[in-house]
Each structure stands twice: as structure tokens, then as C-alpha cells.
Amino acid sequence: GQNIDQPTEMTATEGAIVQINCTYQTSGFNGLFWYQQHAGEAPTFLSYNVLDGLEEKGRFSSFLSRSKGYSYLLLKELQMKDSASYLCAVRDPFTSGTYKYIFGTGTRLKVLA
Amino acid sequence: DVKVTQSSRYLVKRTGEKVFLECVQDMDHENMFWYRQDPGLGLRLIYFSYDVKMKEKGDIPEGYSVSREKKERFSLILESASTNQTSMYLCASSSGLAGGRESKNIQYFGAGTRLSVL
């Protein structure tokens, strides 16, 4: 079956570093995405991994290990505005050449002053 | 900037009503998606479309239908709304087919429609 697991909730302090893990089991794989979603707003794209390794973009980094079905999102120098839900999503190709995204339930991050 | 616009932010309907949720994107994207988002269940795919008049069922298509007559517009239809369809509905679009590894085909989301069925 298709399954993506991430912790439900995490809490961290302003200025700290936090790592949000995501494990997946899907029938196919064509990339892993991280999205940020503030309460009441649309998800917005944060990062994309399709090859193993670390992708860095400013304060945010994302890591992928395809053999382990594992990814993490690393947030450095946390700010209050980083309080949001973080969604892990795997792109799963169809045989027709199209694809769909499978989302985890999201990790709600609270940043405390 | 990519813009995905959903026609309503909040909608209240009665059981049995026919409901139309509209989504328009302005980036000439081939793919469009409808999700619903519920607490503890995350985003679940209802339907998606990879071309005009083409559609594929997602994970939870029961009770829904879709229409894509023009490339920029993707409509979600609840033929006879029920209380268990009370949810947040999110539309998304992305470009092209899943190409080579460099092809991100990022999904861009609309702001969502919070539908309450009474």
C-alpha cells in the first residue's frame, strides 16, 4: 500500500534547529517534496529531492535516502514565523505517464520564544 | 508568479444540494488536482486531470465528479452534498508530465474552499 509517516507535532525554541522526519512506502517514486502550510492558508513549496543526498536552500535543507524510504527537513535558526505544518509528499508515477502526489498527514511545528 | 484561484473561501450548503467548486490557474499548466484536507488525514486526492477533458480518479472519488472543458479551469462537483463532505477543498496545478529527474513539476495550490454541508 501507499504510506507516508511523519510526526504529528513538534515543538522547538526560537533560534534552534529542528529536524522533521518522513518515511514512505509507495509503489513508485519520482521525487519527494516538502511543503509549508500556515493555518488557514495554502501549502507552499519548500524543497524537492529526487536523488539521494542533501539539498540546501537558505535556512532550510532537505535530505533523501531512496534505499531507506526516508527524508528529513532541517530548519535552522528557527523563527516564530516558522510555526506551521510541514507536509511531506511523494510523487508516484502512473503507467500512463502521468503522476499523482501522495501526502503525509503533516507535522505541526510550534516555535516558542 | 503562479496563481491558482478558487472561487470561494467559505461555502455553506444543505444536504442534497448540487455544489460546484471552481478553480482557475493562470500558468498554462497541463495538470490540475482536487484534494480535500481533514484533520489527522492530511491531503487526499479526489480527482486529477492531465489535459482538457481528461481525468483520473484519485484515492477518494466517490460522491464527486469533475469537469475540465478549458485548460485553465478545473471544476469539482458534488452531485448531492452530504454532511461527510464537510471539509477543506484544495485545488492545485503543475506543469507537464513527470519528465526527467530535473523536472520538478511543483504543485501550486489555491487558498482553499472551506465547505460546510448542513
Side-chain angles (χ1 to χ4, degrees):
Chain A
Q2 315 274 53
N3 198 47
I4 297 181
D5 285 319
Q6 36 179 147
T8 304
E9 199 167 295
M10 298 182 73
T11 303
T13 306
E14 198 174 14
I17 299 172
V18 72
Q19 178 174 313
I20 303 174
N21 295 324
C22 170
T23 57
Y24 64 90
Q25 287 178 306
T26 56
S27 55
F29 180 86
N30 190 262
L32 187 142
F33 296 76
W34 284 95
Y35 285 84
Q36 180 190 60
Q37 186 179 24
H38 285 101
E41 297 182 12
T44 54
F45 170 77
L46 281 180
S47 70
Y48 167 75
N49 296 73
V50 68
L51 299 177
D52 291 351
L54 190 67
E55 293 283 341
E56 295 185 84
K57 194 192 290 186
R59 293 189 300 116
F60 292 11
S61 305
S62 57
F63 171 83
L64 174 68
S65 168
R66 288 170 297 168
S67 63
K68 294 181 180 176
Y70 168 70
S71 173
Y72 67 72
L73 179 69
L74 194 72
L75 292 77
K76 303 175 189 173
E77 301 168 16
L78 279 174
Q79 301 174 9
M80 299 298 288
K81 68 178 182 179
D82 296 329
S83 291
S85 287
Y86 292 86
L87 312 179
C88 173
V90 169
R91 185 165 63 198
D92 185 7
F94 278 179
T95 53
S96 60
T98 60
Y99 57 92
K100 65 176 184 178
Y101 294 79
I102 304 160
F103 281 82
T105 55
T107 299
R108 193 164 55 248
L109 174 67
K110 294 182 185 176
V111 179
L112 305 176
Chain B
D1 265 0
V2 174
K3 194 159 186 184
V4 180
T5 304
Q6 295 184 229
S7 52
S8 306
R9 286 301 303 271
Y10 300 93
L11 215 49
V12 180
K13 296 291 181 181
R14 296 210 174 273
T15 303
E17 278 192 79
K18 190 168 185 175
V19 182
F20 292 85
L21 301 183
E22 306 285 347
C23 176
V24 177
Q25 50 96 1
D26 66 358
M27 282 301 291
D28 202 35
H29 283 167
E30 289 82 2
N31 307 304
M32 296 188 75
F33 307 79
W34 275 108
Y35 296 89
R36 61 178 285 176
Q37 186 174 33
D38 300 288
L41 296 177
L43 270 75
R44 292 180 293 165
L45 181 65
I46 304 171
Y47 268 97
F48 71 100
S49 168
Y50 53 90
D51 202 350
V52 175
K53 296 192 188 293
M54 306 301 286
K55 60 185 179 185
E56 291 267 6
K57 291 181 180 178
D59 300 313
I60 50 164
E62 298 78 18
Y64 303 94
S65 62
V66 289
S67 172
R68 186 138 181 233
E69 296 297 317
K70 293 185 178 181
K71 193 174 186 180
E72 68 270 19
R73 186 179 296 269
F74 191 35
S75 303
L76 179 69
I77 303 151
L78 288 67
E79 295 289 342
S80 177
S82 63
T83 54
N84 63 12
Q85 292 178 309
T86 291
S87 187
M88 169 68 88
Y89 289 87
L90 289 165
C91 175
S93 73
S94 71
S95 65
L97 300 177
R101 289 185 168 176
E102 68 283 356
S103 175
K104 289 183 184 179
N105 300 119
I106 297 165
Q107 278 193 318
Y108 295 89
F109 285 85
T113 296
R114 187 165 293 283
L115 173 66
S116 296
V117 182
L118 306 177

